[in-house]
């Protein structure tokens, strides 16, 4: 009997040991990384409407903020952390100008309002990336530097962190001040002259003279002049403040001569100019030439789409930002960015692509030396140059492109040429892989690799640089039949009221969308113009392989 009891005890101990091992395995599983950060969140017209925020003031999300205007602060952590494990977020205003009585206050953005950047919400697989751990708001009450610190504490092994962000409170100075330095010379690059030729530079001029439309009104002003904010706190030298001082009112009739009659002080603050996109510049101008001052250059410089979303996110009439939010460009993977990824930067970072296209424009060889590897999704400023209208649509590249084989220059790509700079094989010619790869010699800018890099769409469209194995393989006629190539199909116009609105075409670049029943639908409208009635890209046409069955083209 004692032996039986001992055996039962041994079995029990063994079972307990197994359970303990299982528990140990669970305990040893790595907790999710904190991945904490503090960001200045933009607030767009569409978001104010969508989240019922009433009279909340919009915000650009830039580090330069107009005096009396809000800076919405979000503390973000890894979405994999259980909300119950977010113990606390302690906010502290650790620095502000002498004499300031500004204080951190509760943000008006509720828990229903997600992180501002789409890439902080979901990744390109649709999985959640970050969550809001805490929010506050700062409204600078005078020009100067403000420093905000957030201490984030989590349980469950994800740890704690202290994060700091600097904010510049400033007033608006107008384009005449910016022009003093930014029209060329020893101090700064000439941004003023090329900007003056863009549609932004004359929009308000044309609008109040009745050239832009016949229904322009004072309700449209805020996006077309500088610092327009009628909130009583926002006294910062913006257009509305100066107009009130001068007694100027919006003209009753849109006609030629309205612009000419506009006081010079208001002309200085009119049209879509430097501080619309960089934030108020009084602190930047005051510190001119002194790069030792804290937080230089004390103005916003960013590739973030939130800068453009201040105005281009007011659906349904201004829907480019809403379209872009539904694109994969808005949330491309962060993997090919950061330190050590200089060879990838020209296509995987917004700043890297701008550097690459600058090299093209100046006819110099692009190198990865000092490449901008900071992560930014493929945003508005990636493809469009805000300062230069030399190319159609202010695109950063002309309408021709050299493909990966180093031989083929495509000259009929139209606006699609800018897409072809990245959506090509990238690993050089076919012979690179056949002859150089086995010898471990360099086949592309980043090293040695076999075959095309990821997305050889341009090579396929143009019918070049393919592996034909000695066969004659016909290519699609789309390269000559579709104006603007890639853009002609992927950016087809989709109007408000169409089930595909904001989901396909335009700046979504999507060719399919999900309908109200959850089914994937091909957006074939652009195809019907040439191919006639069809409902799918896989048009049933002919017996391609000679087996007696009529097949779809795909």
């Amino acid at each position: 009997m004692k032996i039986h009891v001992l055996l039962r005890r041994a079995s029990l101990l063994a079972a307990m040991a197994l359970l303990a091992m299982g528990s140990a395995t669970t305990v040893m599983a790595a907790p999710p990384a904190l991945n904490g950060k503090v960001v200045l969140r933009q607030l767009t017209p569409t978001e104010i409407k969508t989240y019922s925020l009433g009279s909340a003031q919009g915000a650009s999300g830039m580090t330069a903020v107009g005096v009396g205007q809000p800076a919405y602060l979000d503390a973000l952590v890894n979405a994999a952390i259980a909300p119950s494990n977010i113990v606390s977020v302690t906010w502290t205003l650790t620095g502000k100008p002498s004499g300031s009585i500004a204080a951190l206050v509760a943000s008006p953005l509720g828990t229903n309002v997600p992180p501002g950047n789409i890439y902080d919400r979901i990744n390109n697989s649709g999985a959640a990336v970050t969550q809001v751990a805490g929010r506050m708001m700062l409204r600078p009450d005078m020009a100067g530097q403000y420093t905000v610190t957030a201490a984030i504490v989590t349980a469950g092994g994800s740890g704690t962190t202290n994060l700091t962000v600097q904010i510049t409170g400033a007033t608006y100075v107008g384009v005449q001040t910016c022009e003093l330095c930014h029209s060329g010379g020893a101090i700064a690059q000439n941004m003023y002259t090329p900007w003056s030729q863009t549609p932004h530079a004359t929009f308000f001029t044309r609008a109040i003279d009745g050239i832009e439309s016949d229904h322009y009104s004072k309700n449209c002003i805020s996006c077309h002049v500088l610092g327009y904010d009628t909130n009583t706190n926002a006294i910062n030298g913006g257009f509305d403040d100066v107009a009130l001082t001068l007694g100027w009112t919006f003209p009753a009739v849109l006609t030629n001569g309205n612009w000419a009659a506009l006081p010079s002080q208001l002309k200085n603050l009119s049209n879509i100019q430097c501080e619309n996109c960089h934030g108020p510049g009084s602190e930047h101008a005051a510190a001119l030439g002194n790069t030792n001052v804290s937080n230089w250059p004390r103005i916003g410089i960013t590739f973030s789409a939130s800068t453009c979303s201040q105005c281009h996110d007011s659906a349904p009439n201004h829907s480019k930002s809403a379209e872009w939010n539904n694109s994969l460009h808005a949330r491309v993977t962060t993997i090919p960015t950061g330190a050590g990824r200089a060879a990838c930067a020209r296509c995987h970072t917004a700043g890297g692509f701008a550097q690459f296209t600058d090299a093209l424009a100046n006819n110099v060889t692009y190198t990865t030396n000092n490449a901008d590897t900071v992560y930014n999704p493929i945003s508005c400023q990636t493809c469009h140059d805000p300062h230069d209208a030399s190319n159609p649509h202010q695109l950063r590249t002309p309408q021709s492109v050299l493909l990966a084989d180093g031989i083929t220059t495509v000259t009929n790509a139209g606006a699609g040429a800018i897409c072809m700079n990245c959506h090509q094989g990238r690993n050089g010619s076919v012979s690179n892989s056949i002859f150089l790869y086995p010898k471990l010699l360099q086949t592309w800018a980043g090293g040695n690799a076999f075959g095309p890099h990821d997305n050889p769409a341009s090579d396929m469209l143009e019918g070049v640089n393919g592996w034909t194995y000695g066969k004659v393989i016909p290519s699609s006629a789309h390269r000559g039949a579709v104006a603007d190539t890639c853009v002609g199909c992927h950016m087809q116009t989709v109007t408000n009221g169409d089930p595909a609105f904001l989901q396909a075409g335009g700046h979504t670049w999507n060719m399919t969308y999900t309908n109200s029943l959850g089914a994937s639908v091909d957006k074939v409208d652009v195809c019907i113009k040439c191919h006639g009635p069809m409902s799918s890209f896989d048009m049933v046409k002919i017996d391609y392989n000679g087996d007696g069955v009529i097949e779809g083209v795909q």
Side-chain angles (χ1 to χ4, degrees):
M1 178 177 278
K2 287 182 179 179
I3 294 173
H4 180 64
V5 170
L6 289 172
L7 287 173
R8 284 198 301 168
R9 285 180 177 173
S11 299
L12 180 59
L13 289 170
M16 291 174 67
L18 288 171
L19 286 171
M21 288 174 64
S23 299
T25 301
T26 302
V27 171
M28 292 172 63
L34 183 60
N35 295 344
K37 59 181 177 179
V38 172
V39 299
L40 291 169
R41 192 198 191 284
Q42 77 273 18
L43 188 63
T44 70
T46 291
E47 290 180 317
I48 292 172
K49 180 179 179 181
T50 300
Y51 301 113
S52 302
L53 295 173
S55 59
Q57 291 168 268
S60 67
M62 288 184 286
T63 55
V65 179
V67 169
Q69 294 180 300
Y72 300 112
L73 293 146
D74 279 6
L76 305 179
V77 298
N78 192 341
I81 296 173
S84 58
N85 281 342
I86 302 173
V87 177
S88 64
V89 179
T90 304
W91 297 89
T92 309
L93 182 58
T94 57
K96 60 183 179 180
S98 176
S100 169
I101 60 172
L104 293 167
V105 298
S107 172
L109 311 187
T111 56
N112 64 320
V113 181
N117 296 313
I118 193 69
Y119 57 84
D120 281 331
R121 301 181 200 174
I122 55 175
N123 61 22
N124 54 7
S125 298
V129 177
T130 69
Q131 59 183 309
V132 178
R135 282 186 158 134
M136 291 297 277
M137 184 183 79
L138 175 69
R139 193 189 300 274
D141 61 346
M142 59 188 300
Q145 304 304 294
Y146 298 78
T147 304
V148 179
T149 299
I152 305 174
V153 178
T154 65
S158 295
T160 65
T161 188
N162 285 288
L163 302 164
T164 298
V165 62
Q166 282 194 310
I167 299 167
T168 296
T171 58
Y172 293 92
V173 296
V175 69
Q176 292 171 4
T177 298
C178 304
E179 181 187 0
L180 293 175
C181 295
H182 292 281
S183 56
I187 297 178
Q189 182 181 356
N190 185 358
M191 296 294 191
Y192 172 82
T193 303
W195 162 82
S196 67
Q197 304 304 309
T198 68
H200 275 168
T202 58
F203 190 94
F204 186 71
T205 302
R206 289 177 281 119
I208 64 169
D209 274 0
I211 298 172
E212 189 63 32
S213 75
D214 60 359
H215 57 273
Y216 191 77
S217 73
K218 63 180 181 181
N219 296 326
C220 306
I221 288 181
S222 60
C223 278
H224 308 135
V225 297
L226 196 59
Y228 193 95
D229 189 334
T230 57
N231 186 286
T232 54
N233 294 302
I235 307 301
N236 47 38
F239 184 97
D240 58 305
D241 300 330
V242 176
L244 183 64
T245 300
L246 298 176
W248 181 86
T249 57
F250 193 86
V253 179
L254 299 175
T255 186
N256 182 40
N258 286 335
W259 171 255
L262 194 71
S264 60
Q265 300 98 310
L266 288 180
K267 286 182 177 178
N268 180 46
L269 301 169
S270 294
N271 296 305
I272 303 156
Q273 50 171 282
C274 315
E275 292 168 283
N276 289 85
C277 300
H278 293 287
S282 63
E283 287 287 288
H284 176 71
L288 175 64
N290 184 4
T291 57
N292 292 319
V293 299
S294 65
N295 199 28
W296 175 263
R298 298 190 178 193
I299 203 164
I301 302 173
T302 177
F303 280 95
S304 174
S306 61
T307 302
C308 307
S309 294
Q310 297 175 86
C311 295
H312 291 285
D313 188 26
S314 185
N317 296 323
H318 304 284
S319 58
K320 289 182 173 62
S321 291
E323 293 173 347
W324 177 80
N325 279 336
N326 287 328
S327 75
L328 291 180
H329 277 161
R331 52 184 191 271
V332 293
T333 177
T334 61
I335 293 173
T337 63
R341 293 287 188 169
C344 310
R346 62 168 269 193
C347 284
H348 289 279
T349 71
F353 187 72
Q355 289 175 331
F356 169 69
T357 55
D358 281 347
L360 288 178
N362 292 301
N363 199 29
V364 298
T365 301
Y366 170 76
T367 68
T368 56
N369 297 334
N370 301 316
D372 185 346
T373 62
V374 175
Y375 175 75
N376 247 311
I378 310 305
S379 60
C380 319
Q381 303 96 308
T382 310
C383 298
H384 301 279
D385 189 336
H387 305 105
D388 193 348
S390 299
N391 299 319
H393 312 291
Q394 291 182 233
L395 293 172
R396 288 192 179 272
T397 61
Q399 297 191 343
S400 64
V401 62
L402 177 67
L403 294 186
D405 59 4
I407 300 172
T408 305
T409 298
V410 182
T411 58
N412 67 337
I418 195 164
C419 313
M420 292 185 178
N421 282 286
C422 290
H423 292 277
Q424 54 170 276
R426 290 291 314 283
N427 279 358
S429 65
V430 172
S431 60
N432 276 11
S433 288
I434 296 176
F435 301 113
L436 300 183
Y437 176 78
K439 298 178 181 179
L440 301 181
L441 297 175
Q442 182 170 314
T443 59
W444 71 294
N448 177 271
F450 184 82
H453 175 69
D454 193 47
N455 191 342
S458 300
D459 306 75
M460 294 177 66
L461 178 66
E462 294 296 327
V464 298
N465 206 28
W467 297 54
T468 62
Y469 301 98
K471 303 293 183 181
V472 177
I473 302 175
S475 295
S476 165
H478 285 132
R479 62 183 176 184
V482 179
D484 292 318
T485 53
C486 323
V487 167
C489 293
H490 285 271
M491 296 188 72
Q492 61 180 298
T493 299
V494 179
T495 59
N496 183 22
D498 188 309
F501 183 59
L502 305 183
Q503 293 193 69
H507 284 81
T508 71
W509 295 280
N510 296 327
M511 292 297 292
T512 61
Y513 69 98
T514 302
N515 67 13
S516 58
L517 300 177
S520 179
V521 180
D522 292 340
K523 186 59 177 170
V524 298
D525 297 38
V526 70
C527 312
I528 290 174
K529 296 175 183 177
C530 294
H531 292 282
M534 56 183 286
S535 59
S536 166
F537 297 138
D538 194 21
M539 299 174 290
V540 177
K541 285 293 184 180
I542 61 175
D543 178 9
Y544 286 98
N545 59 3
D547 65 354
V549 178
I550 306 298
E551 287 107 2
V553 296
Q554 291 184 321

